[in-house]
Amino acid sequence: MSTPPKKAATRRLLPGLSVKDGYTVHPFDLKYGVRTSGLIAGRHLGVGHAHDKHNTAYYGVAPSVLKGLVKVWRESGPLGSVEETTFVDIGAGMGRAVLLAAEMPFKEVIGVELHKTLAKIAEKNLARWRELGRARTSMRVVNIDVLEFEWPSGPCVAFLFNPFGAVVMRRLMLRMAEVFEGRQGELDLLYVNDEQEVVIERQKGWKRFFVGKIHRSREDAIADHRIMANQPEGEYASTNSEDCSGWRWVGKERS
Ligand SMILES: C[S@@+](CC[C@H](N)C(=O)[O-])C[C@H]1O[C@@H](n2cnc3c(N)ncnc32)[C@H](O)[C@@H]1O
């Protein structure tokens, strides 16, 4: 008697990560053999955490925008040199921003990601980056909610690509103020697609050193337009630039 053939194992993908759902590969992935493409709406990223409902979406930052904003930061007179500063990507997703930051000589690059599958994909991408010899510094991803993150000592730059809504943003501001009390200048914030900028404006202790648009390279603009045109639910838009801002923690007594 023959046994029926085993069913081929089907890999369950998150919505937004299959061609049927409009998945389009960004040239960054093709060039380096990593996996950072895809647009996943926040409502598909639930992990049973109280902050799930505030999750905006997964989407990798345009490499040209991250590099443009880091250049602005370097020219803004931060307290520490790049070599003395830890880069923290708040809401790291599949780790595209972590990979890009690790090409620079930061003290360390850390990605903080709430979603387990995204964090696992990011870890694989980090391994690939090391294999390619592209990482100039140590890098890691932690699979936790942003409020659980243990901020390292020394100067830090926090990168946010619009990861969550106002509620979590306000909680993060309170947490940062607590951790960095007495550490004036040791925390800078780089915010891409800065929808909750007003939340920062209303907090004591922050000084804005940059506000403006950072333009995408031609390659990134074409890729992002194509991805947006193919998205399954048609709810996001792409322009040729991102609204960005940069903030420095000067301490409550100095603002
Ligand atoms: C727009 S993506 C940015 C990805 C990455 N920073 C980049 O630029 O390539 C935002 C990410 O933030 C994550 N996120 C949302 N809320 C979070 C929270 N409370 N704690 C940690 N990560 C969170 C989402 O799961 C998503 O992967």
Side-chain angles (χ1 to χ4, degrees), residues 25 41 88 94 112 114 144 157 160 167-168 205-206 222:
V25 184
V88 182
M94 299 188 199
V112 182
L114 180 60
I144 49 170
V157 59
L160 291 94
V167 170
V168 182
W206 291 95
I222 292 171

Side-chain angles (χ1 to χ4, degrees), residues 169-182:
M169 195 68 184
R170 271 195 293 272
R171 290 177 184 161
L172 174 62
M173 290 290 117
L174 291 177
R175 171 85 185 129
M176 285 172 158
E178 190 182 278
V179 174
F180 286 87
E181 195 188 348

Side-chain angles (χ1 to χ4, degrees), residues 107-178:
K107 184 178 171 193
E108 190 183 9
V109 177
I110 308 171
V112 182
E113 173 54 49
L114 180 60
H115 196 276
K116 195 172 167 187
T117 305
L118 293 179
K120 274 194 177 161
I121 296 172
E123 269 165 17
K124 284 191 186 161
N125 287 328
L126 267 54
R128 169 83 184 144
W129 218 236
R130 291 184 196 104
E131 204 179 277
L132 291 173
R134 299 198 67 83
R136 285 177 70 180
T137 186
S138 69
M139 51 179 182
R140 61 191 167 99
V141 172
V142 284
N143 178 210
I144 49 170
D145 174 71
V146 63
L147 296 188
E148 292 164 36
F149 180 59
E150 298 274 345
W151 289 87
S153 59
C156 295
V157 59
F159 175 79
L160 291 94
F161 179 20
N162 192 17
F164 31 67
V167 170
V168 182
M169 195 68 184
R170 271 195 293 272
R171 290 177 184 161
L172 174 62
M173 290 290 117
L174 291 177
R175 171 85 185 129
M176 285 172 158
E178 190 182 278

Side-chain angles (χ1 to χ4, degrees), residues 6 34 47 72 92 94 114 142 157 167 169 174 186 222 227 233 238 244:
K6 270 195 188 150
V34 291
V47 290
V72 167
M94 299 188 199
L114 180 60
V142 284
V157 59
V167 170
M169 195 68 184
L174 291 177
E186 283 202 18
I222 292 171
I227 292 164
E233 290 150 310
S238 169
C244 297

